[in-house]
Amino acid sequence: MEGGGRPSVVQAALLAASTALTALLYSVYRQKARVARGLQGARRVRLDGELRAVLLEAPGRCVPYAVIEGVVQSVKETLSSQFVENCKGVVQRLTLQEHKMVWNRTTHLWNDYEKIIHQRTNTTPFDLVPQEDGTGVAVRVMKPLDAAELSLETVYEKFHPSVQSFTDVIGHYISGERPKGIQETEQMLKVGTALTGVGELVLDNATIKLQPPKQGMPYYLSGMDFDSLLQKQESNVRFWKILTVVFGFATCAVLFFILRKQYRHHRERQHLRQMQDEFRQAQERLMREMNAEGGETLKNACVICLSNIKSCVFLECGHVCSCKECYRALPEPKKCPICRQAISRVVPLYNS
């Protein structure tokens, strides 16, 4: 603690950082809890003949947050894989990722570094249809790339190592970067994939559409079933809740430590003021007694307690300045309180 009982700069910074981190974690926890509550309250609908009737009865022909499970089916044409034969899909993502080693000048170690140097995503309109054919019900999926969780399957992956000459190796050590190679990846949402969609379900003329919700809730197109998706979100909520509680306890501990220091400092100041008041009262009482008894009594008072009469002669210095009780209370080795010379012996003084 600094003077005046104020927290030190380190303590104040630690408390501020801990409080800010706890508030941030609590904000993330509330957001995750809101998403989990939204998923729990989402309306589960079935891809059957009654779906259109349900939307006709809904306000505005819309279910704000609905869960629907179906199978991916292309509307017109499909996307063909560039590397795998007879692999058809509705979403295709091609990625080129650079892998290299970068020298860390602080730790003096080579660290792995990855960077996406090119990525292209192709889409084509698709529907979610029931797994059982013959119902004739389809839900058009809108804006699939806006989904918070879009399940794409990796259908092709190949790593192309870089070819390096001896001169290149020397140059890489000088520059601090060593290329490892290029990884080529193709991901697709294939036709026939079972998909769980969570979003806004709306009847637009004769077309049923699943689109991103307007209430700020996340939009999902997940390969997991709804129960697994909900369990995953609840696990995230528990994780962030535990982090929030841990850092909250840490913040409370820092605050308790600072308040305890301030309380102890306050008690010390209070005790000091009490001693000062008692000393001032003793002085005032002594002055009143001296005024009543005359100046001669004050002249003969012990210089230590100012209450008893001088009754000791200190040798070899010869000073007469203390009473017997104060002389006994002097620390060893005893020294004269006037000249600080060592006291070899004491002679009693008798006043007649």
Side-chain angles (χ1 to χ4, degrees):
M1 304 291 286
E2 294 180 348
R6 294 187 301 271
S8 65
V9 176
V10 175
Q11 292 173 344
L14 182 61
L15 179 61
S18 180
T19 303
L21 185 57
T22 302
L24 177 62
L25 292 174
Y26 179 70
S27 176
V28 175
Y29 159 70
R30 289 193 60 183
Q31 181 182 1
K32 298 292 184 181
R34 176 174 172 269
V35 171
R37 288 194 302 268
L39 282 176
Q40 291 174 352
R43 183 175 179 180
R44 301 186 68 170
V45 296
R46 296 176 58 86
L47 275 172
D48 53 22
E50 299 180 0
L51 178 57
R52 191 177 299 274
V54 170
L55 291 174
L56 287 173
E57 295 176 357
R61 297 184 176 184
C62 171
V63 178
Y65 208 48
V67 180
I68 192 165
E69 297 178 342
V71 176
V72 174
Q73 176 180 290
S74 61
V75 175
K76 297 179 181 179
E77 57 184 16
T78 58
L79 301 173
S80 300
S81 171
Q82 294 187 3
F83 305 99
V84 182
E85 295 183 359
N86 300 323
C87 183
K88 305 291 184 178
V90 293
V91 179
Q92 179 189 48
R93 179 172 293 164
L94 300 170
T95 305
L96 289 178
Q97 190 174 34
E98 179 186 15
H99 293 258
K100 61 182 178 181
M101 303 287 288
V102 178
W103 177 255
N104 190 318
R105 301 183 186 278
T106 303
T107 61
H108 299 284
L109 296 173
W110 289 96
N111 299 327
D112 289 325
Y113 178 78
E114 299 176 358
K115 178 183 177 181
I116 296 178
I117 58 178
H118 178 72
Q119 188 175 77
R120 185 177 80 249
T121 303
N122 303 319
T123 61
T124 186
F126 66 96
D127 294 338
L128 288 180
V129 298
Q131 295 184 357
E132 301 84 6
D133 297 332
T135 57
V137 179
V139 175
R140 181 69 50 83
V141 178
M142 310 299 295
K143 300 180 180 179
L145 299 183
D146 291 347
E149 183 174 329
L150 179 60
S151 297
L152 298 180
E153 179 184 351
T154 301
V155 298
Y156 176 81
E157 187 174 18
K158 186 176 181 179
F159 184 76
H160 303 276
S162 60
V163 179
Q164 304 176 15
S165 63
F166 179 75
T167 306
D168 295 333
V169 172
I170 298 300
H172 297 157
Y173 273 97
I174 295 175
S175 64
E177 294 186 0
R178 291 190 309 179
K180 297 172 61 178
I182 302 296
Q183 184 175 359
E184 190 175 14
T185 306
E186 182 182 24
Q187 297 173 298
M188 295 190 72
L189 178 58
K190 296 194 295 185
V191 174
T193 302
L195 208 63
T196 299
V198 184
E200 183 182 68
L201 201 61
V202 61
L203 179 60
D204 186 7
N205 295 326
T207 305
I208 303 175
K209 297 180 179 179
L210 180 67
Q211 58 190 17
K214 299 183 179 64
Q215 302 173 342
M217 296 298 292
Y219 181 37
Y220 292 101
L221 294 172
S222 175
M224 298 185 292
D225 59 87
F226 178 70
D227 293 332
S228 300
L229 182 62
L230 179 59
Q231 185 178 3
K232 177 182 176 181
Q233 296 303 321
E234 291 176 345
S235 298
N236 287 337
V237 172
R238 287 192 295 269
F239 172 76
W240 287 103
K241 182 178 181 180
I242 291 173
L243 279 183
T244 303
V245 170
V246 169
F247 279 90
F249 274 118
T251 302
C252 292
V254 174
L255 181 60
F256 173 78
F257 175 78
I258 293 177
L259 293 178
R260 180 172 174 269
K261 286 286 187 179
Q262 288 183 327
Y263 174 74
R264 293 179 61 182
H265 180 79
H266 173 71
R267 289 292 301 273
E268 291 174 357
R269 287 174 59 87
Q270 191 176 24
H271 182 64
L272 179 60
R273 284 196 299 268
Q274 183 179 357
M275 293 179 60
Q276 290 174 344
D277 292 340
E278 293 177 354
F279 181 73
R280 184 172 61 254
Q281 293 174 3
Q283 282 186 324
E284 292 175 355
R285 185 172 61 254
L286 178 62
M287 293 301 298
R288 288 194 299 267
E289 293 176 355
M290 295 304 163
N291 291 333
E293 297 178 0
E296 189 66 23
T297 305
L298 179 62
K299 180 178 179 181
N300 294 328
C302 172
V303 298
I304 299 176
C305 64
L306 297 178
S307 57
N308 298 327
I309 302 300
K310 301 175 183 177
S311 60
C312 296
V313 180
F314 296 154
L315 299 178
E316 302 293 334
C317 64
H319 283 123
V320 181
C321 58
S322 170
C323 63
K324 187 192 312 182
E325 289 78 7
C326 291
Y327 164 72
R328 292 174 180 174
L330 290 175
E332 297 290 344
K334 298 182 184 298
K335 295 182 180 180
C336 175
I338 301 298
C339 63
R340 306 305 298 167
Q341 184 176 344
I343 301 174
S344 59
R345 59 195 182 97
V346 178
V347 176
L349 178 66
Y350 300 98
N351 295 318
S352 58

